[in-house]
Amino acid sequence: MEDVPVVELVAKSPCAGLLPMTVGEVTLSEVDLGVLTSVAPFKGQRKAASEALKEAHGMALPAPNRATGREQARAIWFGRDMALLAGPLPDTSLTRTAALTDQSDAWACVTLAGRPAEDVLARLVPVDMRAAHFKRGHTVRTQIMHMNGSITRIGAESFLILAFRAMAATLVHDLKQAMEGVAARG
Amino acid sequence: MRLTCPLCGERDRREFYYQGDAVSLNRPSPEAGVDAWDDYVHLRDNPAGETRDMWQHEGGCGAWIVVTRNTVTHEVLGTALAGPAAGARI
Ligand SMILES: [Zn+2]
């Protein structure tokens, strides 16, 4: 049998060729969160699902508007009765108490970092993202300009932002425009 | 206008999608008969006073929310997650 040529396929990230970008004091970077899995507990199984998640990956299911875990393995509240496990391949034990859906290729994931990062978000997001109100470990499902997304504070001056992968260029465009606006005001 | 999502808190109106009367919480059974279904699909009250509507927090957590408001004063009196607690027969 003849040898079949094997093409080396290289995964292209959602923001390939667009990021990183620094404007003024704010830097926008793409981040590879690893495997993304939505975890939706079955009816009446929230507590059991949280225990299973803790057992397998070390963090409880987050309450609304909260994220648990840390870099490499986060659980981000992602809507009614749903969390997004970001990082590890989900342990099969989770399937006993929750519906799991692989969303790894569905999201563009970026970090916005720098002292005026809050000011940048203030131009795009209809929620108060200032530290007094939105602390580390807090998360929101809200809009970024016209798009639905997820924003989590991961540090004093840094945010993790998720938007639909197909809208990656729009996400970068809107954030860039806001970054330029903030930088121009000095 | 601001609405309070029971999960997300007070949010701007732009994050919400309006569906209409909260009648969908009480869908008749398939065997309920023509009159019940005619009522469910087509007939609506037009109250001067308190009414309940379905809104979706579409630009947020995705939850369906029952909003109680007063059609005379435009006051929003309360919000609840759609489900049994909001009076849904599910
Ligand atoms: Zn909500």
Side-chain angles (χ1 to χ4, degrees), chain A residues 3-156:
Chain A
D3 278 354
V4 179
V6 176
V7 180
E8 284 291 328
L9 297 175
V10 180
K12 192 175 170 189
S13 71
C15 301
L18 300 172
L19 296 178
M21 171 199 314
T22 298
V23 180
E25 297 176 59
V26 182
T27 298
L28 184 64
S29 318
E30 179 162 36
V31 56
D32 182 357
L33 294 179
V35 178
L36 302 178
T37 311
S38 62
V39 179
F42 298 133
K43 207 169 186 177
Q45 296 288 304
R46 197 193 180 281
K47 210 170 156 225
S50 185
E51 276 157 17
L53 187 65
K54 206 162 191 175
E55 177 83 23
H57 299 293
M59 83 288 274
L61 267 183
N65 308 304
R66 294 291 182 273
T68 52
R70 52 179 60 82
E71 212 174 333
Q72 311 304 329
R74 291 181 198 280
I76 302 168
W77 180 75
F78 221 51
R80 184 177 184 178
D81 300 328
M82 190 182 284
L84 186 76
L85 177 63
L89 199 65
D91 194 87
T92 51
S93 64
L94 301 182
T95 59
R96 286 197 286 272
T97 50
L100 307 186
T101 309
D102 180 19
Q103 304 215 8
S104 304
D105 290 334
W107 296 89
C109 310
V110 300
T111 56
L112 184 73
R115 193 190 49 79
E118 285 176 5
D119 302 334
V120 172
L121 291 179
R123 290 177 175 240
L124 301 171
V125 179
V127 176
D128 188 352
M129 307 301 289
R130 290 174 294 181
H133 182 76
F134 191 73
K135 300 176 170 66
R136 189 195 297 239
H138 288 200
T139 190
V140 281
R141 287 304 308 260
T142 185
Q143 294 186 321
I144 301 133
M145 197 67 171
H146 301 298
M147 290 189 299
N148 295 353
S150 157
I151 307 176
T152 306
R153 183 185 280 274
I154 53 173

Side-chain angles (χ1 to χ4, degrees), chain A residues 77 141, chain B residues 5-9 11 15-16 57 60-63 65 81:
Chain A
W77 180 75
R141 287 304 308 260
Chain B
C5 169
L7 294 173
C8 302
R11 292 295 182 89
E15 293 190 358
F16 296 89
H57 194 192
C61 65
I65 295 160
L81 285 176

